[in-house]
Amino acid sequence: MQEQDVLQLSQLRGEPAVTVLVSTHRTHPDNKRDSINLKNLVSTAEKQLLDLYDKRTVWPILDKIKELETGINHQYNLDSLVIYASENFGRIYNLPVPTTDRIIIGKRFEIRPLLKALQQETHYYAITVSRHKIRLLEADNDTLIREVHNEDFPFENTTYFTTDPMKLQQDSVTDDLIKEFFNVADKRFKKYYTENPLPVILLGDVKMLSFYQEQMDVKGIVTGTIHGGYDDTVDHEIPRIVSPVLKELQAKKQEDAREAINVAQSQQRLLTDLSDIYRAAVDGSADTLYVESNFFRPGTIHDGSITLHPDEQDNKDLSYDVLLPIVETVLQKSGKAIFVDEGLLNDYQGIALITRY
């Protein structure tokens, strides 16, 4: 999943647009219940659709939902699944963020779970790097999803070295051979990254990590490094080793958000009123929207102004959630929307926008 997916979904309109959110489990035997839970939600969605629309409108959408449902392998569940379906669109995402079971039927899709998942960065590739072997693992937080075992990885160095005593004395020769080995390894990894772009954590000694990053075709995807030797580390231990780095990265993101907001406020580039935020989004002056993860404000937008409705705790009707049109407009105008921890924006009632000027 990439930011482009979220932008595409935010721009789709059509009635009915159906979002099915289901909480899932990562491990057996808990994930055995997930398929039953999803079937029950799909049945409920079918009843709701038939209550609201005629059968000719509903059938193509139900066909898409059921087709997507049959393609799910619940052995690889993370924390939630989201199904999007409309007359001309259908897609499913397996997400590393928790949710509550919900069905949303309206004119737009619920995109916040995707935004939150993009910003979690707990789902990642771990690449262990040495002159002897390259391993590729996929994990989420401290849980191993898989270590790749096929013709690509583990990639052992059986070619890119020399036994010539004279050449062994020349650092440049051995270094060039290692870099060539890493270049081939990165070409192999690039296939996986293209298919499923995720952040990358590199593990290895300092010199090898430097060499490997030099050879990477896709720059800027390494979010953390860990020093040491991991050629023979048991696969499920790797995520446990990486976990503290992820926590540090998440903490730094929250601190960076706090600092950016403080700077913007001192420069008079911070908006906190919902109507002001929406107007800035519409005119293209919105740079970064910060929202607490549990933010919800029922209301309507008319002539650029927002009128809030009473917030009834048991009635989270997303058709009247003013955050969705705000987020969608910010994204469409090349701005960013970032979800932060609950409580970080207490001074701003849960939402704040940094403007471009």
Side-chain angles (χ1 to χ4, degrees), residues 23-35:
S23 177
T24 56
H25 302 83
R26 296 168 180 262
T27 56
H28 183 84
D30 292 336
N31 57 19
K32 292 182 68 175
R33 303 196 306 268
D34 293 341
S35 61

Side-chain angles (χ1 to χ4, degrees), residues 10 13 108-113 115-116 274 277-278 281 289-301 306 308 317-331 336-339 345 349-352:
S10 74
R13 294 290 183 275
R108 54 161 55 93
F109 294 122
E110 161 63 297
I111 62 170
R112 278 177 295 188
L115 279 170
K116 293 175 183 179
L274 283 172
I277 289 172
Y278 181 67
L289 178 70
Y290 291 97
V291 189
E292 288 190 358
S293 57
N294 64 339
F295 185 90
F296 176 85
R297 291 292 185 278
T300 52
I301 300 175
I306 292 176
L308 295 180
D317 184 352
L318 290 170
S319 301
Y320 298 98
D321 181 6
V322 296
L323 179 61
L324 284 179
I326 291 174
V327 168
E328 290 166 359
T329 307
V330 169
L331 294 175
K336 294 176 288 187
I338 296 177
F339 285 89
L345 300 176
Q349 289 73 54
I351 188 168

Side-chain angles (χ1 to χ4, degrees), residues 60-312:
I61 298 171
L62 288 175
D63 286 343
K64 281 190 175 64
I65 293 174
K66 291 177 180 179
E67 180 182 354
L68 291 168
E69 181 189 1
T70 58
I72 298 170
N73 186 341
H74 289 282
Q75 291 183 4
Y76 297 101
N77 283 349
L78 296 176
D79 296 315
S80 60
L81 285 169
V82 56
I83 295 177
Y84 295 109
S86 62
E87 182 180 2
N88 300 309
F89 183 85
R91 192 161 297 172
I92 188 165
Y93 292 97
N94 195 0
L95 303 179
V97 292
T99 189
T100 54
D101 296 343
R102 282 185 294 161
I103 299 160
I104 303 102
I105 300 172
K107 297 179 181 179
R108 54 161 55 93
F109 294 122
E110 161 63 297
I111 62 170
R112 278 177 295 188
L114 296 191
L115 279 170
K116 293 175 183 179
L118 275 175
Q119 294 156 23
Q120 282 281 353
E121 287 195 351
T122 61
H123 190 189
Y124 62 92
Y125 293 117
I127 303 176
T128 72
V129 176
S130 79
R131 68 182 68 219
H132 305 295
K133 182 171 33 173
I134 309 291
R135 300 168 63 188
L136 174 62
L137 303 92
E138 182 182 348
D140 188 83
N141 209 341
D142 57 0
T143 301
L144 177 72
I145 295 174
R146 62 168 176 159
E147 178 171 1
V148 176
H149 283 279
N150 55 25
E151 67 278 5
D152 294 323
F153 295 99
F155 182 31
E156 298 195 11
N157 185 0
T158 59
T159 304
Y160 306 95
F161 62 90
T162 181
T163 57
D164 186 329
M166 295 297 294
K167 291 181 178 179
L168 284 171
Q169 295 178 24
Q170 303 174 46
D171 289 344
S172 61
V173 173
T174 55
D175 288 353
D176 286 345
L177 286 168
I178 293 168
K179 290 177 181 179
E180 188 176 354
F181 172 52
F182 289 171
N183 182 268
V184 175
D186 182 63
K187 294 291 189 295
R188 295 184 178 201
F189 166 66
K190 190 176 178 181
K191 294 186 299 183
Y192 298 85
Y193 183 81
T194 301
E195 182 179 331
N196 186 21
L198 296 171
V200 175
I201 304 290
L202 294 180
L203 301 90
D205 73 48
V206 175
K207 183 177 181 180
M208 295 301 105
L209 294 187
S210 176
F211 281 178
Y212 189 88
Q213 289 185 80
E214 286 177 17
Q215 303 305 312
M216 294 182 76
D217 285 343
V218 184
K219 306 297 183 183
I221 60 175
V222 176
T223 58
T225 58
I226 297 172
H227 298 154
Y230 300 97
D231 282 359
D232 301 312
T233 303
V234 178
D235 55 5
H236 64 261
E237 288 294 327
I238 297 292
R240 297 179 189 176
I241 294 166
V242 171
S243 183
V245 174
L246 296 180
K247 291 176 181 177
E248 289 176 9
L249 290 170
Q250 289 299 105
K252 185 176 185 304
K253 280 190 172 186
Q254 301 299 310
E255 186 56 38
D256 288 347
R258 186 182 288 107
E259 183 176 346
I261 289 169
N262 290 338
V263 170
Q265 188 169 34
S266 68
Q267 296 173 345
Q268 297 184 326
R269 294 191 299 116
L270 191 72
L271 301 177
T272 58
D273 177 79
L274 283 172
S275 291
D276 291 343
I277 289 172
Y278 181 67
R279 284 191 288 268
V282 170
D283 68 26
S285 63
D287 181 86
T288 306
L289 178 70
Y290 291 97
V291 189
E292 288 190 358
S293 57
N294 64 339
F295 185 90
F296 176 85
R297 291 292 185 278
T300 52
I301 300 175
H302 182 69
D303 291 337
S305 293
I306 292 176
T307 302
L308 295 180
H309 298 169
D311 187 358
E312 300 176 10

